[in-house]
Amino acid sequence: MPEYDDPSTADGLDQGRLAAVALTVLGSLSALVALVWALGHFWDLSHREPEPARLTEYLQVVALLLASWGFAALLWGTAEILRQLIDARDQAAMGGNTPRPANTDPRGDKTMHLLSELVHLTREVRDINLLSDDERAARLRNESADLVQQLELMVPTLLREHNLAEAHQRLQRARERFPGLPVWDQLAGQVEQARQKFETHDVDAATREVDELASLGAWDRALDTVRTLRQRHPNSEKVETLARRVAAARDQATSEERSKLMSQAQEATNRRDWEAALRIVESFIVRFQNSPETLELRQQLPTLRANAEIIRRQRMEGDIKELIRKHQFAEALEIANELVARYPDSPQAVALREQLPRLQQKATEAAAS
């Protein structure tokens, strides 16, 4: 069955082409008339008697000529955009009902949409310029009435969906477009009433969740809950009060935890449990990198590590002697090799290097027997 183009589409394209031609002709005429007018004024000024104000008149003529050419360039540019839009539609129409490829560049659709919007706005400007003052006032009244009717239906729907942000944005844009309408205040009152209702519910729920997380010490998750609540209610004093309470509780808990770890590190140091002290200090530095105590603890790390290393070597040396006493030479040899590899410059490593061949021999004999 043959396919026929939509007549309304064809008429729109023909009108668009006519508009593009009209804009081109109008721009050309504007530029030509401005040039002829300027040349005439230049000719007239050149045959006058010299006057001090002659330069000012020349500059005025040049300024008007440039402004006219700028207006003509604007018309030519609009006409070119219209032509590109119509050509793009023609190419799309030639494709018939062929499915669109999956990898079509979406930027082309965006460009087409922007061009369509530009054409629509151009037609709107043209239509408004052709109206009288009374007709323009009537047009604005009709548009404001339509917008009021839309928002009176849309705002309650958005509020039922708890979409306060969208309701507020739409109302704000409408107020900027048609300021002074009393209905905006009425709708804003509905939004504020809903916000207060949702705010009370959301703050109560967030408070319960924050208290549970605080009891578990999950302060990061508690702060995330407050941050999400603040995004939903950015100007709420209740939310700010909750945020301050959570921050103060987190700071107090953090301070108490730092004091506890510092006390544990000091106790381990006093009993010369260097390995435990090192673990506590390293954990403290990782968790509280920006605390005042961290700088002091970083300076103590080399000493703690050296002392902990001595304890490890002495423990490994004792394990080797105990295993040899029990004639477990293979296990003793394994620990000896590990000690020499990890601490090659230690006194234990120096002494073991001389004993390794004999220990290897005994391990081999024990394995063969």
Side-chain angles (χ1 to χ4, degrees), residues 202-250:
D202 292 344
V203 170
D204 291 343
T207 301
R208 291 192 296 270
E209 182 178 356
V210 163
D211 290 341
E212 293 177 0
L213 293 172
S215 64
L216 299 174
W219 293 107
D220 290 340
R221 293 173 58 189
L223 292 176
D224 288 340
T225 300
V226 173
R227 191 177 300 110
T228 301
L229 183 65
R230 181 178 285 165
Q231 291 173 353
R232 295 191 63 181
H233 306 283
N235 300 318
S236 171
E237 182 58 31
K238 294 180 180 179
V239 175
E240 293 303 319
T241 300
L242 178 61
R244 289 192 293 268
R245 181 170 72 82
V246 172
R250 190 273 309 269

Side-chain angles (χ1 to χ4, degrees), residues 90-367:
D90 287 343
Q91 293 177 2
M94 291 175 62
N97 295 325
T98 304
R100 178 182 174 180
N103 59 349
T104 302
D105 189 355
R107 292 176 294 182
D109 292 340
K110 185 176 181 180
T111 302
M112 291 292 293
H113 176 71
L114 293 176
L115 290 174
S116 299
E117 288 292 328
L118 178 60
V119 172
H120 175 72
L121 292 175
T122 303
R123 290 175 178 172
E124 288 286 326
V125 172
R126 178 199 62 189
D127 294 341
I128 292 175
N129 287 333
L130 295 176
L131 298 177
S132 64
D133 292 341
D134 293 339
E135 290 171 336
R136 291 173 186 167
R139 180 189 179 99
L140 288 177
R141 285 194 299 269
N142 292 333
E143 291 182 356
S144 63
D146 291 341
L147 185 57
V148 168
Q149 185 178 5
Q150 292 176 10
L151 288 184
E152 285 179 339
L153 296 174
M154 185 178 300
V155 167
T157 301
L158 292 173
L159 295 181
R160 285 194 297 270
E161 297 173 353
H162 292 199
N163 197 347
L164 297 176
E166 181 66 19
H168 177 75
Q169 291 177 3
R170 288 180 179 271
L171 184 58
Q172 185 64 27
R173 289 197 295 266
R175 190 190 295 272
E176 292 174 355
R177 185 177 179 186
F178 298 106
L181 295 182
V183 68
W184 304 145
D185 294 333
Q186 299 174 9
L187 292 175
Q190 295 180 21
V191 175
E192 178 61 21
Q193 183 178 2
R195 187 197 66 78
Q196 292 177 359
K197 176 183 177 181
F198 297 147
E199 174 189 354
T200 301
H201 176 271
D202 292 344
V203 170
D204 291 343
T207 301
R208 291 192 296 270
E209 182 178 356
V210 163
D211 290 341
E212 293 177 0
L213 293 172
S215 64
L216 299 174
W219 293 107
D220 290 340
R221 293 173 58 189
L223 292 176
D224 288 340
T225 300
V226 173
R227 191 177 300 110
T228 301
L229 183 65
R230 181 178 285 165
Q231 291 173 353
R232 295 191 63 181
H233 306 283
N235 300 318
S236 171
E237 182 58 31
K238 294 180 180 179
V239 175
E240 293 303 319
T241 300
L242 178 61
R244 289 192 293 268
R245 181 170 72 82
V246 172
R250 190 273 309 269
D251 292 342
Q252 181 179 357
T254 302
S255 178
E256 293 175 354
E257 189 173 2
R258 295 206 314 266
S259 299
K260 181 180 179 181
L261 288 175
M262 289 292 292
S263 177
Q264 292 176 353
Q266 186 62 49
E267 291 176 359
T269 301
N270 293 339
R271 64 175 182 268
R272 296 184 178 279
D273 189 352
W274 305 112
E275 292 181 303
L278 179 61
R279 286 196 302 270
I280 296 172
V281 169
E282 289 179 339
S283 175
F284 187 102
I285 292 175
V286 171
R287 295 177 60 185
F288 308 107
Q289 298 181 6
N290 300 321
S291 67
E293 301 90 346
T294 297
L295 178 60
E296 179 182 356
L297 291 176
R298 289 185 187 277
Q299 296 175 354
Q300 299 178 11
L301 271 180
T303 301
L304 289 174
R305 285 171 176 163
N307 291 339
E309 180 181 306
I310 292 174
I311 296 300
R312 294 192 197 102
R313 297 201 312 265
Q314 291 176 350
R315 184 186 304 114
M316 295 174 73
E317 184 180 21
D319 291 343
I320 293 171
K321 291 179 179 179
E322 180 66 18
L323 290 171
I324 291 175
R325 188 183 66 80
K326 295 179 179 180
H327 293 215
Q328 297 177 358
F329 300 110
E331 291 83 352
L333 178 62
E334 182 179 354
I335 297 176
N337 287 327
E338 180 183 356
L339 192 153
V340 172
R342 290 179 61 182
Y343 311 108
D345 299 326
S346 66
Q348 291 85 356
V350 173
L352 283 173
R353 285 193 185 94
E354 298 178 358
Q355 302 175 18
L356 281 178
R358 181 172 177 78
L359 187 58
Q360 177 68 51
Q361 181 180 358
K362 289 186 175 182
T364 303
E365 294 174 352

